[in-house]
Amino acid sequence: MAIERISTEAIKRIIKENITTEYTCVIKAYSNSCPLCHELKDDYESISSLPKFSDVHFFVFNIQDYPGLSEIVDLNGVPSIILVNTGFEKSIHILQDPKMPHPTTWYFKQDIVNFIDENRRTV
């Protein structure tokens, strides 16, 4: 599935409001000034194109567009990966900072894949 850049209003809606339709949304929070965020781009795109995630919606969000994001979701910095399962049993998950970060991308690709596998809603 293609990665879409998400607006401030859309991220607020996904995280704060009740969306009755059940979706799994994965959001990469990034900053233009973050080299790790830019290096993670290829891995994130690769993950979004995996057939097993064809039902997952992938987004990117520039935190500089909404500095108040940390007020509605607890981020330690960027890059951050947020997974939101919408619907009647909404859940929000944040990929924890790695104990041994990848030197150029912060997260290892497999750690992101595992995080999605463990937290997404399956039918």
Side-chain angles (χ1 to χ4, degrees):
M1 187 171 275
I3 298 172
E4 297 179 46
R5 183 172 171 160
I6 192 169
S7 69
T8 300
E9 290 308 312
I11 199 165
K12 285 182 193 177
R13 184 166 183 252
I14 289 171
I15 292 174
K16 292 178 74 175
E17 294 180 17
N18 275 338
I19 298 172
T20 56
T21 307
E22 293 189 356
Y23 294 111
T24 296
C25 304
V26 178
I27 305 162
K28 180 183 94 169
Y30 73 95
S31 168
N32 286 336
S33 61
C34 169
L36 297 171
C37 298
H38 293 289
E39 292 298 323
L40 185 59
K41 180 182 178 186
D42 290 340
D43 284 348
Y44 190 66
E45 287 175 354
S46 171
I47 293 166
S48 74
S49 66
L50 292 173
K52 71 179 185 171
F53 295 144
S54 64
D55 60 333
V56 176
H57 298 270
F58 286 86
F59 300 102
V60 293
F61 182 77
N62 186 341
I63 63 161
Q64 293 165 316
D65 293 344
Y66 182 44
L69 179 63
S70 61
E71 295 170 12
I72 61 171
V73 64
D74 188 22
L75 300 180
N76 287 333
V78 289
S80 286
I81 306 293
I82 307 161
L83 184 143
V84 181
N85 290 306
T86 65
F88 294 107
E89 294 184 30
K90 181 179 199 167
S91 62
I92 300 172
H93 308 272
I94 301 170
L95 180 56
Q96 298 300 307
D97 288 342
K99 292 179 182 168
M100 297 197 56
H102 188 284
T104 58
T105 61
W106 190 249
Y107 296 112
F108 286 89
K109 182 178 175 180
Q110 191 60 48
D111 291 339
I112 298 171
V113 169
N114 293 344
F115 169 72
I116 297 168
D117 280 336
E118 291 166 6
N119 293 292
R120 73 179 172 144
R121 181 178 291 126
T122 55
V123 184

